[in-house]
Amino acid sequence: MKCGLLLSLLLLFPARAFCADSPSPLYGDEIVRDFLWSEFQELPADKRPKVGLVLSGGAARGFAHVGFLEVLTNAGFPIDGIAGTSMGAVIGALFSAGFPMDQLWELGRRATFSYATKDFNKIGVLSLILHEKLMSSDAMEDFITQRIGDITFEDLQIPFSCVAMDIKTGESIVFREGPLAIAVRSSMNLPGIFKPVQYRHRYLVDGGVADNLPVDAAKALGMEWILSSHTPAGLDDASLHNILTYLLQVMEIRGELLAQQSIKDSDMVVTHKVQHIKFTEFEKSFHAGELGLEETYRRLPYIKENLLLRSFGALTDKYVLP
């Protein structure tokens, strides 16, 4: 009886609901979706697709991922793995380690460039511009270890990977084992601003110039259904005043171009409306998180419906007797 009801609901589930640009679902659709979602949540992890989240780079804009993660957590969304680049690596690593959500929001309230470097001051910036003296990103390792300890990828509660680039070879380097803090630091180590991180035989810089939305890294973790959180840049020439701002603009353009293919390779994407927030406007980080929460909540019905459609076989098998 229940099997017949479930099959009927799945077959009647409107195809319109899976279109990202469709209007809000009708009340009847909400009832069907909520019923199927409760059934989906009861499925054992090995009976449904492995759900992977992908968090893009974006510096201050990347705090939108905090709102994204809060909505999914409150909705009881299964999270089997996370991959991140740059700020996505920072947020993803903390979340995967079980860092409390309220403390993630607090980081957004107090965010500054000093999270990444102690050299971001007038002397440091002048040295960079006039004498080409790169800053150190050592502070990011301290930032991570002070909050979650000197742990390894193997210690995390959720499987996680992050991406950096070898500046000597141009290779994309995916971290998924070993020390966590230096991997996260490498993933957000801006080239041309921070000294390359020397790790083993590599010279590592920000993964955003190699893979800004690391869908392939999530798939390498074994994820089968990919939901990406994208924090696009708003490109303009109003703030191009010196070599530093030109360099940041080039990295933003490169990151956006790389993200386009990854968007196509994702099952669903939440593109946050944060284009007006500049790369280094960390005073707007908390606002970016609020925008991420708002956009993810708006897209949540369609995200659930897409995952339910992907889980059609598992949902029907649940009630089919052997």
Side-chain angles (χ1 to χ4, degrees):
M1 178 75 174
K2 195 171 183 181
C3 178
L5 174 61
L6 181 64
L7 286 169
S8 298
L9 288 170
L10 285 167
L11 291 171
L12 289 171
F13 210 41
R16 172 193 58 74
F18 297 96
C19 176
D21 298 322
S22 65
S24 298
L26 300 173
Y27 178 68
D29 298 344
E30 293 175 4
I31 294 174
V32 173
R33 184 185 63 246
D34 290 347
F35 171 78
L36 293 175
W37 186 251
S38 66
E39 296 296 310
F40 170 80
Q41 288 179 304
E42 293 178 3
L43 291 173
D46 62 346
K47 299 297 183 182
R48 57 165 175 76
K50 289 186 176 180
V51 175
L53 306 183
V54 178
L55 311 180
S56 71
R61 297 189 306 274
F63 273 86
H65 301 316
V66 176
F68 170 80
L69 291 168
E70 174 150 312
V71 171
L72 297 182
T73 300
N74 290 342
F77 221 84
I79 302 173
D80 300 302
I82 299 175
T85 292
S86 199
M87 184 56 75
V90 176
I91 301 299
L94 293 171
F95 184 82
S96 297
F99 194 68
M101 185 63 68
D102 62 333
Q103 292 186 40
L104 278 173
W105 282 107
E106 188 60 27
L107 291 178
R109 288 185 188 277
R110 297 182 290 131
T112 70
F113 216 93
S114 64
Y115 283 178
T117 181
K118 297 174 183 177
D119 298 333
F120 195 74
N121 49 45
K122 290 182 179 179
I123 295 175
V125 173
L126 284 173
S127 295
L128 174 64
I129 295 173
L130 299 178
H131 306 297
E132 300 182 356
K133 182 180 179 182
L134 299 177
M135 302 178 189
S136 170
S137 60
D138 288 351
M140 178 48 65
E141 281 189 64
D142 296 335
F143 175 86
I144 295 295
T145 55
Q146 286 169 8
R147 284 156 180 82
I148 57 177
D150 188 14
I151 63 175
T152 67
F153 281 81
E154 292 79 5
D155 297 321
L156 295 170
Q157 297 177 15
I158 299 172
F160 171 72
S161 65
C162 62
V163 179
M165 187 187 81
D166 187 330
I167 195 66
K168 287 192 169 184
T169 66
E171 293 176 82
S172 179
I173 307 299
V174 180
F175 289 92
R176 50 178 176 263
E177 60 183 15
L180 180 68
I182 194 169
V184 173
R185 173 191 170 194
S186 300
S187 185
M188 57 77 53
N189 195 56
L190 295 171
I193 297 176
F194 297 138
K195 301 172 185 175
V197 175
Q198 295 185 40
Y199 183 66
R200 297 179 179 171
H201 61 289
R202 302 286 190 177
Y203 288 79
L204 302 173
V205 298
D206 195 299
V209 294
D211 194 354
N212 197 43
L213 192 64
V215 170
D216 287 343
K219 290 181 177 179
L221 286 174
M223 301 301 106
E224 301 166 317
W225 185 87
I226 304 295
L227 171 60
S228 292
S229 177
H230 179 219
T231 57
L235 304 175
D236 62 71
D237 60 2
S239 59
L240 299 178
H241 306 304
N242 52 50
I243 190 171
L244 179 59
T245 54
Y246 274 97
L247 179 60
L248 291 174
Q249 179 92 323
V250 169
M251 287 189 288
E252 296 270 46
I253 293 170
R254 169 73 174 168
E256 281 304 298
L257 290 173
L258 290 170
Q260 294 312 304
Q261 183 58 50
S262 295
I263 287 172
K264 295 176 184 177
D265 293 338
S266 303
D267 292 281
M268 287 291 286
V269 180
V270 178
T271 299
H272 305 287
K273 296 179 172 64
V274 292
Q275 292 93 329
H276 62 286
I277 299 176
K278 300 285 192 298
F279 195 84
T280 56
E281 287 184 324
F282 285 96
E283 69 276 9
K284 297 181 181 179
S285 296
F286 186 84
H287 180 52
E290 293 177 318
L291 292 172
L293 188 148
E294 179 182 316
E295 183 62 16
T296 308
Y297 184 77
R298 186 184 75 82
R299 296 294 309 280
L300 186 62
Y302 307 110
I303 295 169
K304 286 182 176 180
E305 289 164 4
N306 189 288
L307 181 53
L308 288 171
L309 182 62
R310 179 67 178 271
S311 307
F312 179 90
L315 286 167
T316 55
D317 290 346
K318 181 178 178 181
Y319 297 106
V320 176
L321 296 175

